Amino acid sequence: MDVTLAAGGAWTDPACPVARTVDLIGDRWSLLIIRDAMDGATTFTEFHQRLGIARNILTDRLRKLVEYGILDKSAATDGRRHTYRLTEAGQDLFTAVVALRQWGERHAFAPDEPHSILVDDQGRELPELHPLGQDGAPLSAEASHVRKTA
Amino acid sequence: MDVTLAAGGAWTDPACPVARTVDLIGDRWSLLIIRDAMDGATTFTEFHQRLGIARNILTDRLRKLVEYGILDKSAATDGRRHTYRLTEAGQDLFTAVVALRQWGERHAFAPDEPHSILVDDQGRELPELHPLGQDGAPLSAEASHVRKTA
DNA sequence: TCCAATAAGTTGCAAAATGCAACCTATCTG
DNA sequence: CAGATAGGTTGCATTTTGCAACTTATTGGA
């Protein structure tokens, strides 16, 4: 299930997709939960240990992410564990996570400061992600604008 | 100036670029301020009117975004106005904003629900943004992983 | 079988962030 | 020089977040 039906509607800006996305995952923890899910975390305890988030807040965020259709919760074969997995919509956040990560790599670390990097199966660093126009050339913010729809 | 030197260091996860980026702009308003800056907003009043944000919070966010090297503040020719403009680092967030926007378009609206779209100078909608591997094929979260650096 | 450990929460209370409305100061305009 | 405009600041109420202790269910081992 997609987000669509969730959250009756107290959107920051009802027609803007950026605002909606921020309303759903624009807090201190949600994106980091999603990041860790992409990196293999599946249980409450795993998320808790990796993030150092307060347990009640983690409970709340996991519940909301499930409600929004970003995570799926199921009982593990284990019996006492639960398993949280990214839905298709959750996996589709990969692009956004990569974009935020690459910006951080470029602008939020000192030149000599160590930081983790994202690599492919062959251990090669990912190419930089940039919006392209229809012609395939990089597109800047000035060369684009928001069009309101009816 | 880049973020690099700002913020003494109470990072959520000191080595993760995603966490750093979220620490800097992962709140309810910063990304929307940046979105509006990309859409042409430059003054305190403009941001306030577009966002409906509380004035003291806007003051605080603008101050932080300037401190982080994302916005630049200058006196307008006007004399009583101030002008906030995206720095190079701020403009470089365009990729992330587009990624979040496109995810929202795909997953946060009902099929028939109207929402704004991002178009280029010729009025054509932007192509979907996706991480690619070195070979140019789309890369999924499973086909990549985080490598810790010393 | 029973008991300690593990997993996933819940609850109560303190602290921090956010929001609202009124107030303040400087500049600009008529 | 008076009113309007721009960009704040301040005090207080509300909401969100965080911490620590407590609860329930399951599980593996003595």
Side-chain angles (χ1 to χ4, degrees):
Chain A
M1 175 192 95
D2 257 19
V3 170
T4 309
L5 304 177
W11 308 108
T12 303
D13 181 343
C16 176
V18 180
R20 282 234 178 159
T21 303
V22 168
D23 281 346
L24 296 174
I25 57 170
D27 65 280
R28 179 137 267 87
W29 294 113
S30 296
L31 265 165
L32 300 181
I33 291 170
I34 291 160
R35 173 203 64 181
D36 283 351
M38 287 175 180
D39 196 39
T42 59
T43 67
F44 184 93
T45 303
E46 266 179 306
F47 288 112
H48 180 239
Q49 287 174 349
R50 294 196 192 200
L51 290 168
I53 181 179
R55 302 172 71 79
N56 52 343
I57 305 301
L58 178 56
T59 300
D60 179 72
R61 291 304 181 279
L62 288 173
R63 188 187 58 70
K64 282 183 178 161
L65 290 173
V66 168
E67 180 189 331
Y68 297 160
I70 291 169
L71 288 179
D72 182 73
K73 181 182 184 174
S74 60
T77 53
D78 186 301
R80 58 183 159 176
R81 279 182 169 83
H82 295 159
T83 301
Y84 294 92
R85 289 189 195 290
L86 290 165
T87 61
E88 200 176 329
Q91 290 175 40
D92 194 33
L93 277 164
F94 185 57
T95 306
V97 171
V98 169
L100 292 166
R101 167 181 281 276
Q102 290 185 345
W103 184 87
E105 292 179 7
R106 288 195 291 269
H107 301 286
F109 289 87
D112 59 340
E113 200 179 1
H115 57 81
S116 66
I117 58 173
L118 197 61
V119 298
D120 66 17
D121 284 335
Q122 274 75 48
R124 297 170 304 202
E125 196 167 354
L126 300 206
E128 281 191 9
L129 192 60
H130 289 292
L132 303 178
Q134 300 276 355
D135 57 0
L139 195 80
S140 70
E142 297 89 56
S144 70
H145 68 277
V146 172
R147 186 165 68 201
K148 305 248 188 298
T149 59
Chain B
M1 176 191 94
D2 258 20
V3 171
T4 310
L5 303 177
W11 307 109
T12 303
D13 181 343
C16 177
V18 181
R20 281 235 179 160
T21 303
V22 168
D23 280 346
L24 296 174
I25 57 169
D27 66 278
R28 177 139 271 87
W29 294 112
S30 296
L31 265 166
L32 299 180
I33 291 171
I34 291 160
R35 172 203 64 178
D36 283 351
M38 287 174 180
D39 195 40
T42 59
T43 69
F44 184 93
T45 302
E46 266 179 305
F47 288 111
H48 180 239
Q49 288 174 348
R50 294 196 192 200
L51 290 168
I53 181 178
R55 301 171 69 81
N56 52 343
I57 304 300
L58 178 56
T59 300
D60 179 73
R61 292 303 180 279
L62 289 173
R63 190 187 55 71
K64 282 183 178 161
L65 289 173
V66 168
E67 179 189 330
Y68 298 159
I70 291 169
L71 288 178
D72 182 73
K73 181 180 184 175
S74 61
T77 53
D78 187 302
R80 58 184 160 174
R81 280 182 169 84
H82 296 158
T83 301
Y84 294 92
R85 289 189 194 289
L86 290 164
T87 62
E88 201 175 330
Q91 291 175 39
D92 193 32
L93 276 164
F94 184 58
T95 306
V97 171
V98 169
L100 292 167
R101 167 181 281 276
Q102 291 186 344
W103 183 87
E105 292 178 5
R106 288 195 291 267
H107 301 286
F109 288 87
D112 59 339
E113 201 179 0
H115 57 82
S116 66
I117 59 174
L118 197 61
V119 297
D120 67 17
D121 284 336
Q122 273 75 47
R124 298 171 302 202
E125 196 167 355
L126 300 206
E128 282 191 11
L129 192 61
H130 290 292
L132 303 177
Q134 300 276 354
D135 56 2
L139 195 80
S140 69
E142 297 90 54
S144 70
H145 66 276
V146 172
R147 187 165 69 199
K148 304 246 188 298
T149 57

